[in-house]
Amino acid sequence: GAGVSQTPSNKVTEKGKYVELRCDPISGHTALYWYRQSLGQGPEFLIYFQGTGAADDSGLPNDRFFAVRPEGSVSTLKIQRTERGDSAVYLCASSTQSQGEQFFGPGTRLTVL
Amino acid sequence: GESVGLHLPTLSVQEGDNSIINCAYSNSASDYFIWYKQESGKGPQFIIDIRSNMDKRQGQRVTVLLNKTVKHLSLQIAATQPGDSAVYFCAENLSGGSYIPTFGRGTSLIVHP
């Protein structure tokens, strides 16, 4: 069966631009997570959705970051006014329930020039 | 100056040897622990988990040991194979609330044929 997919796989943008990163979770998974991973580090939690609502957004670094999941399936992570420090791999994961094993996508590598 | 985050601890082993990867966790209130494997260009993959009411759990070729007294986890891989080469992360989860793992720094395992 299909796993978690993320698009694009790579995104290069210029400082100050707006970007959207997409996550398609495993079908039927109600919980969806976004993480950010810098080189040589473990994934860092950003936001968690249970269904359509953000159950925990405490990991979003500032108000330039926003995520939506309008129909409880696909999610989009939106970054406004990108900065060079936003460069990282953005990972998405989904699970059948909030306490379940998380299945990760391959990530989107974002490079801000 | 040197960026410590770019230099992962590394374990090099010969194919067929047993590997032990260690992890110190930070929060004594954590009650659930997971080991993940991350290959280059991919998202983390669940290997094995353990709850705080256990000291040891075994899977296929892997064993996780938990020492709550010193807040230490280890992952043992038996008969290590070249396909085991990856970065391994331990993650801890605080008791109660939603399941949002906090990842450790990671250890790079290199298996020489």
Side-chain angles (χ1 to χ4, degrees):
Chain A
V4 177
S5 62
Q6 293 186 245
T7 54
S9 55
N10 282 281
K11 176 70 177 179
V12 180
T13 191
E14 293 179 342
K15 179 176 178 293
K17 299 291 188 182
Y18 167 82
V19 296
E20 289 189 352
L21 311 179
R22 176 186 168 111
C23 172
D24 282 82
I26 293 172
S27 178
H29 281 195
T30 58
L32 184 146
Y33 305 78
W34 282 100
Y35 296 85
R36 177 168 68 175
Q37 186 173 27
S38 300
L39 186 64
Q41 302 293 321
E44 175 190 18
F45 168 74
L46 295 176
I47 186 169
Y48 150 59
F49 287 89
Q50 184 60 247
T52 60
D56 187 334
D57 65 356
S58 62
L60 295 177
N62 52 59
D63 61 5
R64 295 187 297 105
F65 288 74
F66 189 70
V68 296
R69 195 186 185 199
E71 298 179 357
S73 177
V74 171
S75 177
T76 305
L77 179 65
K78 308 180 181 193
I79 310 174
Q80 298 177 321
R81 304 183 303 280
T82 51
E83 299 177 357
R84 292 193 180 90
D86 299 335
S87 296
V89 174
Y90 289 81
L91 294 163
C92 175
S94 70
S95 64
T96 55
Q97 54 187 337
S98 63
Q99 299 285 321
E101 175 186 341
Q102 294 185 22
F103 295 83
F104 282 81
T108 294
R109 181 175 297 278
L110 175 66
T111 302
V112 181
L113 301 177
Chain B
E2 179 182 12
S3 175
V4 175
L6 293 176
H7 299 280
L8 282 174
T10 300
L11 175 64
S12 290
V13 301
Q14 289 296 128
E15 181 179 1
D17 287 352
N18 296 332
S19 302
I20 300 176
I21 300 171
N22 296 302
C23 174
Y25 64 92
S26 57
N27 198 322
S28 57
S30 295
D31 70 346
Y32 179 57
F33 305 90
I34 316 101
W35 280 100
Y36 289 91
K37 172 186 180 183
Q38 187 172 26
E39 296 174 282
S40 182
K42 297 184 180 179
Q45 177 186 6
F46 173 94
I47 302 173
I48 191 168
D49 59 0
I50 189 168
R51 295 203 174 272
S52 59
N53 60 352
M54 302 172 69
D55 297 322
K56 178 179 179 179
R57 189 160 189 229
Q58 289 185 292
Q60 187 176 11
R61 282 202 307 118
V62 295
T63 301
V64 55
L65 298 177
L66 174 62
N67 185 330
K68 296 180 288 293
T69 303
V70 295
K71 294 190 287 187
H72 182 267
L73 273 172
S74 68
L75 177 70
Q76 300 178 1
I77 304 174
T80 316
Q81 301 168 1
D84 294 328
S85 294
V87 176
Y88 289 80
F89 292 96
C90 67
E92 60 183 299
N93 190 64
L94 293 176
S95 62
S98 54
Y99 166 42
I100 299 173
T102 300
F103 285 79
R105 188 175 166 207
T107 296
S108 176
L109 175 65
I110 299 172
V111 182
H112 301 281

